[in-house]
Amino acid sequence: VEEGLVAVSMDGVMRSERSTAFDRWFGVPAPGARFEDQIRATDPAIADWFSLGLQALVEGTLPEELLLDQLPRRMTRGDRTLRLAYTPIAGDGSGGERQLLIVMTDVTEQLARERMERDTQEMMRIFQRTTHDRAGVQQFFAEAGGLVRQATEGAGSIEHDLRIVHTLKGNCRQFGLESMAELCHEAETAMQDDGQPLADRKSTV
C-alpha cells in the first residue's frame, strides 16, 4: 500500500523527512511550507479542519488522545480517497522539538471493495425477504418511494423535509439497507448545514 509520510512541527511547518508519495501527490513543498497550505488546493475543507485541530492540540485544553481523534481522518485527492493517521513524536529531552507524524494511505480500492460487498449483501437480503414476504417488500418500496416524492416535490419546509428523511432513514435501517440509510443521513446533514430543503437541490439528491 502506497503511503504519504510527512513530519510537521506543532506550528504546522513540514520537516524535510517525507515520502516520495507525498511529494508526488501534493508537490514538493518549499522550505518552511505548512502542511495545511500544501494540501489546500487538493482539499481546502480538510486543510482548514487540520489547522484548527492542530491549534487545539497545541493548546491542550482536552486530553491529547481526544484531540488527535478530532483531526481529519479522510481527504479526497481527485477521485482518490486518502486515510489520515497521526502519531505524536516527543522531543528528545535536550531541546528537541515535539512533532507530529502524518501517515496518508490511499484507500480508494479498499473502499470500493467494501461498497461492492455491502451492495451484494443488501441485494441478498432483499431477495431473501422477497422469498418469505413478497408483499412486505413491495409495501416497503412503495412507502419509501412515497416518502422520496413528498420530500422532493413541492415546496416543503426544512422541518418537513428533515422529518421525512429521518423517517426514511429509520425504515431503511430496519430493512437492512445501510447504503440508503447513509444517503439519508448525508441529506439530513446537508440540510442542517445550509438550511436548504430538498426541493431546491433536486439535481444533487
Side-chain angles (χ1 to χ4, degrees):
V1 176
E2 192 172 33
E3 292 182 331
L5 306 174
V6 59
V8 303
S9 63
M10 299 311 290
D11 60 358
V13 175
M14 289 181 288
R15 298 311 191 190
S16 58
E17 300 85 0
R18 300 183 313 275
S19 68
T20 56
F22 180 88
D23 289 351
R24 187 167 64 255
W25 292 345
F26 303 103
V28 178
R34 299 170 64 86
F35 174 76
E36 61 264 32
D37 294 333
Q38 195 71 19
I39 68 171
R40 189 172 300 281
T42 302
D43 197 328
I46 293 299
D48 291 338
W49 184 355
F50 175 83
S51 180
L52 291 173
L54 185 63
Q55 182 180 347
L57 188 62
V58 171
E59 293 171 354
T61 53
L62 294 170
E64 183 177 89
E65 217 173 276
L66 177 60
L67 293 170
L68 286 171
D69 193 54
Q70 291 178 343
L71 290 170
R73 292 290 163 175
R74 281 187 187 177
M75 67 175 293
T76 57
R77 188 181 68 86
D79 60 353
R80 314 297 292 178
T81 300
L82 304 180
R83 182 180 62 216
L84 280 65
Y86 308 90
T87 302
I89 304 174
D92 59 13
S94 59
E97 188 179 8
R98 189 163 171 254
Q99 299 179 41
L100 187 66
L101 175 65
I102 305 173
V103 182
M104 314 175 81
T105 307
D106 189 334
V107 294
T108 309
E109 278 76 21
Q110 176 188 336
L111 295 176
R113 286 194 300 272
E114 291 174 356
R115 283 193 296 269
M116 186 177 298
E117 290 171 2
R118 183 189 61 186
D119 291 347
T120 301
Q121 291 171 356
E122 289 183 352
M123 189 65 68
M124 288 300 298
R125 291 193 202 104
I126 293 173
F127 283 139
Q128 289 169 354
R129 281 178 174 263
T130 302
T131 301
H132 297 96
D133 184 15
R134 187 180 190 87
V137 172
Q138 292 174 333
Q139 181 180 357
F140 167 78
F141 281 106
E143 291 177 353
L147 289 171
V148 171
R149 284 190 295 274
Q150 287 183 55
T152 57
E153 295 176 1
S157 66
I158 186 71
E159 294 81 8
H160 171 269
D161 288 354
L162 281 170
R163 185 168 60 253
I164 288 177
V165 172
H166 188 75
T167 300
L168 180 59
K169 179 173 71 173
N171 291 351
C172 290
R173 285 230 162 99
Q174 282 190 326
F175 206 76
L177 297 180
E178 284 298 323
S179 59
M180 292 300 298
E182 288 179 12
L183 287 174
C184 291
H185 183 73
E186 291 174 8
E188 278 184 313
T189 301
M191 286 190 288
Q192 289 167 343
D193 286 346
D194 61 20
Q196 184 180 2
L198 285 179
D200 295 340
R201 62 171 89 234
K202 285 165 68 174
S203 61
T204 59
V205 171

